[in-house]
């Protein structure tokens, strides 16, 4: 979609599809998620919704892409993806997607909590020839005093079997804080050995349709394969945490940086509820 059409859509936010209706989960799905630490859900966003929101999100990723070197000249982290955070602050259109009640209620239902706030969003676009994403736990970056954290990972384009979804280590979330290693070659080696040594089942959901989504706990170990195709793997993620969560004392530079960037003005022991962390779903409060 060209910039002119993007601009036309930007001028007509009221025409965007709503994303506030409910996506119904079964007790079996919720139980499986809490047992395994991950789940694949189909058609979380409908095709006609993706047709509208994908060009808008893609436009902002292209505009804000900070990479100035070819994929092959970057380090392991840089090869993994183009990573742009808090796109919801860039436009009303993307805001509607990220703060959608439908997605937030799924997150709350899966974790069994009454409400969720957004930690931040991340567009993760893996370029043609992009490298693998090493094994890691998301929550080593997050100064949040809870295990009730979850990420929605939604492809905005069809993902072939060749590229596949992320690979999850089932049950790893129950181990809590396994390692402080940030995403790197070292984290991949060390955590691969951990997964194999513990005999944790590895699950990859394979091909996914645009608008399907996986959800995983913040402590769930996961990795992702590279992209050997000629097509960009466009994925949008949204991180949620339970409403009422307190800020943890940051115990690493990664967490100190996250506290500054994603919880501005919040101090350890206080509620994690900065202006960047809106309450997007609650069973108890009127929003």
């Amino acid at each position: 979609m060209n910039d002119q059409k993007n601009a036309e859509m930007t001028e007509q936010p009221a025409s965007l599809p709503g994303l506030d209706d409910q996506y119904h989960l079964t007790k079996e799905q919720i139980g499986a998620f809490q047992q395994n630490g991950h789940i694949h859900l189909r058609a979380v966003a409908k095709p006609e919704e993706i047709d509208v929101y994908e060009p808008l999100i893609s436009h902002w990723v292209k505009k804000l892409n900070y990479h100035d070197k070819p994929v092959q000249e970057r380090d392991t982290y840089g090869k993994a993806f183009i990573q742009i955070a808090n796109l919801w602050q860039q436009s009303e259109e993307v805001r509607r997607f990220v703060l959608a009640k439908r997605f937030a209620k799924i997150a709350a239902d899966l974790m069994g909590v009454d409400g969720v706030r957004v930690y931040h969003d991340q567009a993760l676009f893996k370029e043609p020839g992009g490298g693998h994403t090493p094994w890691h736990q998301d929550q080593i970056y997050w100064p949040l005093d809870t295990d009730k954290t979850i990420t929605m990972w939604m492809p905005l384009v069809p993902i072939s079997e060749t590229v596949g979804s992320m690979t999850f280590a089932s049950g790893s979330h129950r181990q809590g804080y396994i390692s402080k290693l940030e995403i790197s070659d070292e984290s991949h080696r060390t955590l691969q050995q951990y997964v194999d040594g513990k005999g944790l089942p590895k699950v990859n959901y394979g091909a996914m349709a645009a608008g399907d989504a996986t959800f995983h706990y913040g402590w769930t170990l996961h990795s992702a394969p590279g992209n050997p195709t000629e097509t960009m793997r466009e994925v949008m993620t949204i991180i949620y945490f339970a409403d009422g969560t307190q800020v943890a004392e940051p115990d690493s530079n990664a967490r100190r940086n996250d506290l500054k960037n994603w919880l501005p003005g919040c101090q350890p022991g206080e509620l994690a509820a900065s202006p960047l962390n809106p309450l997007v779903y609650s069973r108890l409060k009127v929003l």
Side-chain angles (χ1 to χ4, degrees):
M1 180 174 292
N2 60 36
D3 288 344
Q4 180 179 355
K5 193 165 185 181
N6 273 332
E8 291 171 355
M9 295 179 72
T10 300
E11 293 171 0
Q12 303 176 39
S15 67
L16 292 172
L19 297 167
D20 290 336
D21 56 319
Q22 293 190 23
Y23 183 100
H24 295 284
L25 296 170
T26 66
K27 291 182 179 179
E28 290 75 19
Q29 287 174 316
I30 294 171
F33 171 78
Q34 294 180 359
Q35 174 70 22
N36 298 322
H38 55 86
I39 194 170
H40 173 211
L41 300 176
R42 298 189 184 279
V44 173
K46 304 176 184 69
E48 60 270 25
E49 295 165 344
I50 292 295
D51 286 346
V52 173
Y53 284 105
E54 182 278 330
L56 295 166
I57 294 170
S58 180
H59 165 75
W60 282 103
V61 171
K62 292 174 183 176
K63 183 174 182 178
L64 299 174
N65 181 15
Y66 52 89
H67 285 300
D68 57 3
K69 294 180 180 180
V71 171
Q72 61 271 21
E73 295 180 16
R74 303 176 201 159
D75 62 13
T76 298
Y77 195 102
K79 290 176 182 176
F81 34 58
I82 300 170
Q83 180 181 33
I84 309 294
N86 265 13
L87 283 179
W88 73 272
Q89 294 186 287
Q90 300 297 329
S91 74
E92 176 61 27
E93 293 80 11
V94 180
R95 178 188 177 94
R96 289 191 182 198
F97 184 90
V98 173
L99 305 189
K101 186 176 179 181
R102 183 194 305 162
F103 306 155
K105 184 178 186 299
I106 294 172
D109 288 347
L110 287 173
M111 293 192 293
V113 300
D114 290 324
V116 292
R117 292 180 177 272
V118 167
Y119 185 52
H120 62 77
D121 68 57
Q122 288 183 320
L124 301 175
F125 281 34
K126 194 178 289 284
E127 298 155 280
H132 73 119
T133 305
W135 283 103
H136 64 284
Q137 291 178 295
D138 293 336
Q139 201 162 333
I140 68 162
Y141 293 94
W142 306 342
L144 297 169
D145 191 13
T146 182
D147 60 357
K148 302 299 184 183
T149 62
I150 192 171
T151 296
M152 182 186 83
W153 189 94
M154 178 183 287
L156 304 176
V157 295
I159 295 179
S160 68
E161 187 79 26
T162 304
V163 178
S165 72
M166 292 183 291
T167 298
F168 301 99
S170 293
S172 56
H173 64 294
R174 294 193 295 274
Q175 306 301 316
Y177 209 145
I178 295 170
S179 170
K180 293 184 180 180
L181 289 173
E182 298 179 32
I183 299 174
S184 61
D185 292 332
E186 184 181 0
S187 78
H188 193 69
R189 288 191 299 269
T190 300
L191 294 174
Q192 178 72 68
Q193 292 171 356
Y194 179 89
V195 171
D196 292 343
K198 292 287 186 180
L200 298 175
K202 288 178 278 190
V203 176
N204 186 296
Y205 293 107
M208 293 176 65
D212 285 359
T214 61
F215 287 77
H216 65 275
Y217 275 120
W219 286 126
T220 301
L221 277 167
H222 59 285
S223 63
N227 181 8
T229 74
E230 296 300 316
T231 304
M232 181 82 78
R233 189 214 69 180
E234 300 181 15
V235 168
M236 189 65 179
T237 69
I238 307 171
I239 304 164
Y240 305 93
F241 61 88
D243 183 34
T245 294
Q246 293 185 335
V247 178
E249 183 71 46
D251 55 1
S252 66
N253 286 334
R255 286 186 162 185
R256 280 186 281 274
N257 288 335
D258 259 36
L259 177 59
K260 178 181 177 181
N261 291 327
W262 313 125
L263 295 164
C266 295
Q267 301 299 320
E270 296 179 350
L271 286 177
S274 85
L276 294 185
N277 314 114
L279 179 64
V280 282
Y281 173 75
S282 177
R283 287 182 246 278
L284 305 177
K285 303 174 186 177
V286 178
L287 304 181

